[in-house]
Amino acid sequence: MTLFRTGGVFVTALLCALALAGPASAHHSIQAQFDIHKTVSISGTVSKIEFINPHSYLTVNVKGADGKVQKWAFEMGGVGSLRKAGMSRADRGGLKPGDEVTVTALPARDDSNSGLLQELKIGDGRVYRFSADPNGN
């Protein structure tokens, strides 16, 4: 009978450890995904803005020199950090698809059209600043 109790405790402990390991390993460091020593600045039109946790996203359509449109995706902080920068969830900072914006971001290390948003300038003159230290704080 003792063998079954010990085995049950072990299995329960193992399942709890596995359940907790998933969320812990899912969080990434900024330095691992983005180049903190460079910035990229692009101008284009808002395609989509998503205010969600743990990270919000901004998608921008950028017209290249050849006239073709490229999609750029920018990761932002969570809803709380956006609110701290002056953007509310209710009005999404006044952003809507079609708005002209200029984005300054840390570029993705994989050379994809993506980055971590640092500053957002909207066509009406408003500027939102988002910054994070290399640890994401």
Side-chain angles (χ1 to χ4, degrees):
M1 187 81 159
T2 307
L3 179 62
F4 288 118
R5 283 189 203 155
T6 305
V9 169
F10 177 74
V11 170
T12 302
L14 180 64
L15 289 175
C16 287
L18 289 173
L20 295 173
S25 68
H27 192 81
H28 59 272
S29 103
I30 288 176
Q31 291 179 349
Q33 190 171 359
F34 305 104
D35 188 338
I36 64 167
H37 301 292
K38 296 180 185 177
T39 59
V40 63
S41 183
I42 62 107
S43 295
T45 58
V46 173
S47 171
K48 180 170 47 169
I49 184 163
E50 299 173 277
F51 269 55
I52 54 178
N53 273 318
H55 301 281
S56 296
Y57 297 91
L58 174 67
T59 306
V60 178
N61 291 329
V62 179
K63 191 176 282 189
D66 59 2
K68 293 183 180 177
V69 174
Q70 296 178 343
K71 284 204 180 291
W72 280 74
F74 297 99
E75 184 174 318
M76 300 185 291
V79 176
S81 68
L82 297 178
R83 198 174 313 121
K84 190 176 183 181
M87 299 179 89
S88 74
R89 184 179 222 161
D91 72 353
R92 289 172 168 61
L95 286 176
K96 59 189 176 309
D99 285 351
E100 294 290 326
V101 295
T102 300
V103 172
T104 303
L106 302 178
R109 287 191 175 273
D110 66 3
D111 292 325
S112 62
N113 290 346
S114 62
L116 177 65
L117 193 105
Q118 297 293 291
E119 184 178 88
L120 176 64
K121 295 179 184 177
I122 301 175
D124 65 7
R126 287 181 289 161
V127 178
Y128 295 103
R129 288 187 177 83
F130 312 93
S131 62
D133 69 21
N135 295 316
N137 297 319

